[in-house]
Amino acid sequence: MSTVIQALLHNDLRTFIQLIGYPGVFGVIFAESGLLVGFFLPGDSLIFTAGLLSSPTFGFFHIGVLLIGCWIAAIVGDNVGYEFGKRVGRRLFQQKESFLFKKEHLVTAEKFYEKYGGKAIILARFMPVVRTFAPIVAGIGDMDHKRFTFFNFIGGTAWVLALGLSGYFLGNIIPADKVDKYLLPIIAVIIIVSIVPPLLHLYKENKEVLWKKFKH
């Protein structure tokens, strides 16, 4: 266990993933998708790196098993978050802050959800921290469950496929002995690229307001 924690703290995702295997990867995705304690977990980079380790160059995972497992974990995790928000979510606003809970994250997700409704569930998938709290806020807001499931399906599928397959195909390009050299920069780029579409969408929706503030 100490080796696993050390690998995570040192951002050695390759070692971390190899130590935790399928169950650990799926567990992290599940926790980061809908449990309050999962907001600090590296969901984006985890799926990408696991995808890379699934490439023929490494062959540590089977890409099909990995993608299906991550997809199920992401979808189920969001549903758990939704049900939690629906049943007891309002009490969180009175809860004292701790290392595992920051009220500001919940408030940010609530404002994001209020502004974008169902689309927030899709957009939040590509935004760290917000994606953990978005399903909880949807439950608090009593969003129709069928509607939530629809957006959750689209967002979860796009997120897992985009990151997992990106890692898989890049793993075919990068030589095995050069992976450690390029992995962190590539992960940084992937994370940046993953949040660009949501940010562009937010900019387009708020462009007029932003320009008015800029002129004043």
Side-chain angles (χ1 to χ4, degrees):
M1 179 62 71
S2 61
T3 307
V4 173
I5 295 174
Q6 286 176 4
L8 182 59
L9 291 176
H10 288 85
N11 207 25
D12 185 359
L13 281 176
R14 181 179 171 184
T15 301
F16 176 71
I17 291 170
Q18 290 174 328
L19 287 171
I20 63 177
Y22 283 121
V25 171
F26 301 155
V28 169
I29 299 304
F30 171 81
E32 204 238 8
S33 293
L35 302 183
L36 287 175
V37 295
F39 73 91
F40 65 91
L41 295 170
D44 291 322
S45 51
L46 187 83
I47 295 178
F48 172 78
T49 307
L52 184 144
L53 293 175
S54 301
S55 66
T57 302
F58 299 94
F60 188 76
F61 291 128
H62 184 283
I63 187 62
V65 175
L66 178 74
L67 293 177
I68 292 172
C70 287
W71 178 78
I72 292 173
I75 299 297
V76 174
D78 258 26
N79 272 283
V80 170
Y82 171 86
E83 290 297 331
F84 176 78
K86 192 170 185 177
R87 297 171 190 275
V88 299
R90 273 292 158 199
R91 299 177 196 170
L92 292 175
F93 287 96
Q94 283 76 50
Q95 182 175 320
K96 291 183 178 180
E97 293 196 354
S98 65
F99 173 74
L100 295 176
F101 174 70
K102 300 293 183 183
K103 194 178 296 182
E104 63 183 274
H105 297 327
L106 188 63
V107 173
T108 299
E110 184 177 47
K111 290 179 180 178
F112 188 74
Y113 173 74
E114 287 177 353
K115 187 171 183 62
Y116 297 102
K119 288 188 294 184
I121 305 301
I122 299 175
L123 295 172
R125 276 293 181 186
F126 297 89
M127 303 177 72
V129 179
V130 175
R131 80 168 143 261
T132 301
F133 289 87
I136 296 173
V137 169
I140 293 174
D142 202 26
M143 182 180 185
D144 178 72
H145 191 264
K146 290 182 179 179
R147 188 163 178 260
F148 171 80
T149 301
F150 172 74
F151 288 111
N152 183 27
F153 176 84
I154 295 175
T157 302
W159 183 55
V160 170
L161 289 180
L163 292 169
L165 291 177
S166 294
Y168 178 79
F169 288 120
L170 280 171
N172 291 325
I173 299 172
I174 302 173
D177 60 340
K178 299 290 182 66
V179 166
D180 290 333
K181 177 181 179 181
Y182 294 110
L183 187 56
L184 284 178
I186 290 173
I187 288 175
V189 171
I190 290 296
I191 293 174
I192 292 171
V193 170
S194 72
I195 65 174
V196 166
L199 291 178
L200 285 176
H201 181 83
L202 297 178
Y203 170 74
K204 289 178 181 179
E205 296 245 338
N206 297 277
K207 184 164 56 176
E208 292 184 6
V209 176
L210 291 173
W211 275 109
K212 286 181 181 178
K213 289 183 177 180
F214 179 76
K215 290 177 180 179
H216 289 292

